Amino acid sequence: MQNDIKQVLYTEEQILKRVSELAADIKNDYEGESILMVGILRGAVMFYADLVREMDMQLHMNFMAVSSYGASSQSSGVVRIQYDLDEDITGKNVIIIEDIVDSGLTLAYLTKTLKSRNPKSLKTCCLFDKKERRRVDFKADYVGFDVPDVFIVGYGLDYAENYRNLRYIGELKPEVYE
Ligand code: PRP
């Protein structure tokens, strides 16, 4: 598996340090409030698990699974909810936790959908942001790292469902996906 990685972009230590900073920012912003942390499966699992364990405060955990579908690896812009929240979010402070924002289509759709359910507040937190690839105007409230437009895997992110279990973020060798 490691042989498919061209270079390590973020080590486990760098990631955990940034995750801890994000946890502190969120905790500071929601003092005295409770939060529902909504993780988006599957890519966000590692980030989600590390983030909530850094947050010394009351919070609830729940998950959704979504997929964008279309003919190619390029997102079609249509997002399908594969697994929805099994709770009412009316009046709750909700934060959507994502691993990466790319075109922005997934989070634009999710925020619109969850807003229509009348939460008390709704914010988004993503570990990686590929701003160069935006197709819709979307800005996350909490961002871990701005990343260049290279194929990154690890720490939850996959290529063809592999590499999610790497502890670090690596750039995939082009010959692996070309
Ligand atoms: C990834 C990521 C986001 C989405 C971001 O999910 O987790 O949900 O793509 O891309 P966008 O900004 O262009 O919409 P993916 O569909 O790869 O599923 P996964 O989380 O199961 O890996």
Side-chain angles (χ1 to χ4, degrees):
M1 186 163 65
Q2 316 273 350
N3 290 339
D4 294 343
I5 303 301
K6 185 177 164 191
Q7 61 172 328
V8 175
L9 292 183
Y10 301 100
T11 64
E12 184 178 19
E13 291 71 26
Q14 286 172 315
I15 295 168
L16 292 178
K17 179 171 177 285
R18 187 71 190 113
V19 170
S20 159
E21 289 167 358
L22 287 172
D25 288 347
I26 295 172
K27 192 181 164 198
N28 192 44
D29 290 349
Y30 289 83
E31 215 178 325
E33 301 269 340
S34 65
I35 311 177
L36 173 63
M37 302 284 278
V38 175
I40 308 304
L41 302 170
R42 283 167 277 187
V45 286
M46 308 299 184
F47 175 40
Y48 187 100
D50 285 334
L51 183 69
V52 293
R53 284 180 294 178
E54 287 293 325
M55 293 170 65
D56 177 24
M57 63 181 290
Q58 294 283 2
L59 58 81
H60 289 187
M61 297 169 49
N62 214 332
F63 299 91
M64 291 177 79
V66 298
S67 71
S68 62
Y69 60 111
S72 69
S73 59
Q74 284 280 340
S75 177
S76 62
V78 182
V79 177
R80 180 176 47 183
I81 294 179
Q82 292 180 315
Y83 169 72
D84 204 345
L85 284 173
D86 56 1
E87 70 178 275
D88 183 6
I89 62 167
T90 307
K92 296 178 183 173
N93 293 309
V94 176
I95 305 182
I96 302 173
I97 311 298
E98 262 285 25
D99 51 339
I100 188 163
V101 195
D102 193 317
S103 68
L105 292 162
T106 303
L107 273 175
Y109 173 83
L110 274 174
T111 49
K112 189 171 144 229
T113 303
L114 294 192
K115 245 180 208 157
S116 72
R117 300 179 188 179
N118 300 313
K120 180 178 179 187
S121 66
L122 180 66
K123 285 192 181 183
T124 52
C125 174
C126 70
L127 186 57
F128 301 107
D129 194 345
K130 264 191 196 174
K131 292 201 169 76
E132 283 171 56
R133 292 189 36 106
R134 268 315 183 282
R135 286 171 58 193
V136 291
D137 185 23
F138 179 83
K139 192 172 175 298
D141 297 290
Y142 302 96
V143 175
F145 301 97
D146 284 320
V147 286
D149 187 14
V150 296
F151 206 128
I152 58 172
V153 292
Y155 197 66
L157 282 79
D158 74 307
Y159 168 61
E161 294 304 326
N162 291 317
Y163 311 102
R164 292 192 196 270
N165 56 326
L166 288 173
R167 290 182 180 274
Y168 57 83
I169 288 288
E171 179 181 351
L172 201 57
K173 286 180 181 167
E175 58 261 39
V176 177
Y177 57 88
E178 274 170 357

